[in-house]
């Protein structure tokens, strides 16, 4: 990945490869990395700024600070009043928002292409010139506490997923919720927010992605004008997080809540992440997830547990390898009304054991490959989706070449690769399994989602 030492180098990646995107890439002298994705089908542009910091970079006892600052970034600067950025974007017919994840924090605007300079000027201003009054931070702390109350505390599924991650990650900060633990959120201060801001929010810790009806020369000129004068930081800490120890025994959770309408179980396995320059194992796990539970009608677990034996009414899997440290591979199962959770778990274990013994149906494998090819083609129609794909990758330590190689890596995966990944992953002693019990006064049943990496948006 390009760094400040390669400032002023401007590389345009050719479009000749089958999966290449019209992408340009450059780095400013102050270390800001920039990506331009041209799409001239509509006079619209998306600007995204990704900071290489997220909740997993927080110190113990200060959970939620990354998301707290995300909210505070919509306050004022010396030249902008609080809320002026969003009001200006809206007045010009655009939209804006932000989101925080474990590994990054991102801000974006979608607006008419001839308004790019306007939003770039405002985004650059708040990168280094945020001003927080006493009222700003106390009010916004109340906002994030209320957000936790609505999104987490009032949702039994969200509470359960928090407990699952805490059980899965004994040492990694991925076990702490992005939004934060309530008792720690209540103690966050203005000084905490400003310390985080000054430590991580700098051009040499950010990735600018501009996608839409623009040219590389146009974006570079504007970036040099507005982001170029911003001073880099000299003391950005390395992203060295506590690592997860080997799991030596299966873990089990029992969760009950009066608001749960339909019992279900979820299981996660600690899984390898995608790595820059070495994405083959993650690609195999991506294909494995599609084979096991990617389709409600044709996936292996749906056929075995829903249609053949009737032990479940729904099964899904989830895996996203875009993670700096080890991630999870998740399975969720909603049993049939007459099947207990322990019996459902036994049925799941049996289905996984059968799969490991039987292997992959060649016809299904080819269907999955065709779906992957189609998905990569359809993805190119979503300009903001492409911007997100490149921004997330570069903010997580990947290169442009890694992003563009990913479709070919996926297509290079063989049945043997997938089965080898499955044999290594699906070890009973390395599973974390949780039961969610029906409460006394249940509500409307909701399909469980296989747990995976999260983002918290405003």
């Amino acid at each position: 990945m390009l760094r400040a030492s390669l400032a002023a180098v401007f590389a345009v990646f050719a479009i000749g490869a089958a999966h290449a995107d019209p992408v340009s890439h450059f780095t400013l002298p102050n270390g800001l990395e920039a990506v331009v994705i041209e799409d001239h089908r509509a006079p619209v542009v998306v600007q995204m700024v990704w900071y290489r910091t997220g909740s997993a970079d927080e110190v113990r006892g200060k959970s939620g600070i990354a998301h707290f600052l995300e909210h505070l970034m919509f306050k004022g600067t010396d030249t902008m009043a609080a809320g002026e950025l969003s009001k200006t974007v809206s007045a010009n017919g655009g939209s804006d928002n932000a989101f925080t994840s474990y590994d990054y924090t991102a801000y974006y605007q979608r607006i008419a292409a001839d308004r790019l300079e306007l939003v770039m000027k405002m985004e650059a201003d708040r990168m280094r010139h945020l001003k927080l009054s006493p009222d700003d931070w106390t009010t916004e702390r109340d906002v994030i506490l209320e957000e936790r109350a609505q999104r987490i505390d009032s949702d039994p599924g969200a509470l359960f997923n928090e407990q699952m991650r805490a059980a899965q990650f004994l040492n990694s900060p991925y076990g702490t919720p992005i939004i934060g633990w309530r008792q720690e959120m209540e103690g966050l201060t203005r000084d905490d927010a400003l310390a985080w801001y000054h430590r991580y929010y700098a051009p040499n810790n950010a990735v600018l992605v501009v996608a839409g009806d623009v040219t590389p020369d146009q974006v570079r000129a504007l970036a040099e004008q507005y982001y170029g004068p911003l001073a880099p930081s000299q003391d950005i800490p390395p992203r060295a997080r506590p690592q997860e120890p080997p799991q030596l025994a299966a873990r089990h959770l029992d969760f009950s809540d009066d608001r749960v309408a339909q019992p279900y179980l979820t299981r996660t396995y600690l899984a390898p992440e995608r790595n820059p320059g070495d994405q083959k194992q993650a690609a195999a796990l991506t294909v494995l997830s599609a084979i096991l539970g990617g389709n409600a009608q044709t996936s292996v677990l749906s056929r075995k547990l829903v249609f053949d034996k009737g032990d479940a009414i729904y099964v899904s899997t989830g895996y996203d390898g875009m993670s700096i440290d080890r991630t999870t591979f998740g399975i969720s199962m909603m049993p049939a009304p007459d099947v207990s959770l322990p019996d459902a778990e036994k049925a799941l274990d049996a289905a996984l054991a059968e799969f490991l013994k039987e292997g992959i149906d060649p016809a299904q494998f080819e269907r999955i490959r065709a779906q992957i090819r189609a998905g990569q083609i359809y993805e190119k129609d979503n300009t903001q989706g492409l911007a997100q794909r490149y921004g997330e990758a570069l903010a997580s330590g990947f290169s442009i070449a890694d992003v563009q190689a990913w479709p070919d890596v996926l297509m290079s995966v063989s049945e043997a690769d997938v089965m080898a990944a499955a044999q290594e992953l699906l070890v009973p002693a390395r599973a974390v399994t949780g039961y969610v019990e029906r409460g006394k006064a249940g509500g409307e049943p909701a399909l469980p989602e296989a747990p995976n990496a999260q983002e918290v948006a405003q």
Side-chain angles (χ1 to χ4, degrees):
M1 190 167 63
L2 294 178
R3 299 186 184 276
S5 60
L6 297 183
V9 175
F10 186 83
V12 178
F13 290 81
I15 313 174
H19 296 288
D21 303 311
V23 173
S24 302
H25 181 220
F26 61 89
T27 302
L28 295 182
N30 63 4
L32 178 73
E33 195 168 8
V35 175
V36 184
I37 305 171
E38 294 184 73
D39 184 346
H40 302 290
R41 293 174 297 175
V44 176
V45 67
V46 176
Q47 175 185 233
M48 306 189 82
V49 170
W50 299 71
Y51 292 96
R52 296 184 180 95
T53 186
S55 67
D57 299 301
E58 296 165 347
V59 298
R60 300 290 189 185
K62 296 290 184 181
S63 64
I65 189 65
H67 177 244
F68 183 33
L69 180 63
E70 176 214 308
H71 277 248
L72 291 170
M73 284 288 285
F74 289 84
K75 303 304 180 182
T77 67
D78 286 335
T79 60
M80 282 194 298
E84 182 178 343
L85 187 151
S86 294
K87 290 177 183 177
T88 302
V89 171
S90 179
N92 282 271
S95 60
D96 75 314
N97 212 325
F99 48 89
T100 304
S101 186
Y102 291 105
D103 296 324
Y104 50 77
T105 310
Y107 303 82
Y108 69 89
Q109 302 87 33
R110 182 179 177 86
I111 202 164
D114 62 0
R115 303 292 195 275
L116 174 60
E117 182 174 5
L118 174 67
V119 295
M120 190 175 288
K121 179 180 179 180
M122 293 189 294
E123 190 66 77
D125 188 24
R126 67 174 172 177
M127 179 178 282
R128 281 309 228 174
H129 304 125
L130 182 66
K131 299 294 182 184
L132 300 179
S133 72
D135 290 340
D136 286 338
W137 75 268
T138 54
T139 300
E140 211 59 43
R141 189 177 63 183
D142 291 340
V143 170
I144 63 169
L145 287 167
E146 179 59 27
E147 183 179 349
R148 180 177 169 94
Q150 292 181 0
R151 294 187 177 182
I152 308 296
D153 300 334
S154 63
D155 182 348
L159 288 171
F160 168 68
N161 286 338
E162 274 192 348
Q163 297 299 308
M164 279 289 293
R165 289 194 70 89
Q168 176 70 81
F169 294 102
L170 300 182
N171 196 46
S172 166
Y174 288 166
T176 299
I178 295 168
I179 200 168
W181 299 116
R182 173 170 286 276
Q183 71 273 20
E184 294 180 358
M185 296 167 66
E186 291 170 344
L188 296 176
T189 68
R190 177 178 181 272
D191 288 343
D192 293 329
L194 287 175
W196 186 266
Y197 175 70
H198 292 307
R199 182 177 300 120
Y200 292 110
Y201 280 51
N204 54 324
N205 200 42
V207 179
L208 168 68
V209 182
V210 179
D213 190 18
V214 293
T215 66
D217 289 342
Q218 175 191 4
V219 173
R220 180 165 185 160
L222 290 173
E224 288 175 338
Q225 180 179 353
Y226 292 109
Y227 291 103
L230 301 178
S233 286
Q234 304 302 321
D235 56 354
I236 297 172
R239 307 188 81 176
R241 288 91 164 262
Q243 297 298 298
E244 198 62 19
Q247 183 176 341
L248 304 179
R251 302 167 194 159
H252 195 283
L253 287 80
D254 289 303
F255 180 89
S256 62
D257 191 293
D258 290 347
R259 298 165 292 183
V260 173
Q262 181 76 23
Y264 62 90
L265 71 85
T266 293
R267 173 177 291 174
T268 60
Y269 300 87
L270 197 64
E273 74 282 4
R274 279 171 65 179
N275 290 306
D278 182 14
Q279 305 181 86
K280 189 67 174 282
Q281 190 173 19
L285 289 170
T286 300
V287 176
L288 175 65
S289 178
I291 289 171
L292 286 180
N295 184 287
Q297 284 73 44
T298 62
S299 66
V300 168
L301 293 180
S302 288
R303 284 192 286 104
K304 289 181 178 296
L305 297 171
V306 178
F307 298 108
D308 292 351
K309 299 180 180 178
D311 292 313
I313 59 176
Y314 175 79
V315 185
S316 69
T317 59
Y319 170 77
D320 181 1
M322 184 57 71
S323 176
I324 290 178
D325 299 312
R326 289 174 70 81
T327 183
T328 59
F329 186 105
I331 304 172
S332 284
M333 174 181 178
M334 186 174 284
D338 59 344
V339 177
S340 68
L341 288 173
D343 286 343
E345 184 179 5
K346 291 178 183 177
L348 174 61
D349 288 336
L352 292 172
E354 287 177 3
F355 169 73
L356 292 175
K357 182 178 179 180
E358 296 168 355
I360 300 170
D361 175 17
Q364 185 194 21
F365 188 72
E366 286 308 311
R367 284 197 303 270
I368 295 296
R369 285 171 55 85
Q371 291 166 8
I372 290 172
R373 283 194 295 268
Q376 295 295 330
I377 293 170
Y378 296 148
E379 187 183 56
K380 294 178 183 292
D381 286 332
N382 185 341
T383 301
Q384 187 161 338
L386 277 176
Q388 179 142 348
R389 178 155 65 97
Y390 280 92
E392 180 185 26
L394 269 67
S396 302
F398 291 77
S399 67
I400 296 287
D402 289 321
V403 178
Q404 295 189 334
W406 176 243
D408 289 329
V409 175
L410 279 171
M411 295 306 299
S412 73
V413 169
S414 67
E415 295 177 40
D417 294 328
V418 175
M419 290 309 300
Q423 293 284 354
E424 184 176 344
L425 176 77
L426 301 173
V427 178
R430 299 178 190 163
V432 179
T433 306
Y435 291 175
V436 180
E437 300 283 2
R438 182 195 296 270
K440 297 177 182 177
E444 291 295 321
L447 297 178
E449 294 184 1
N452 216 293
Q454 307 173 48
E455 292 175 352
V456 176
Q458 282 218 71

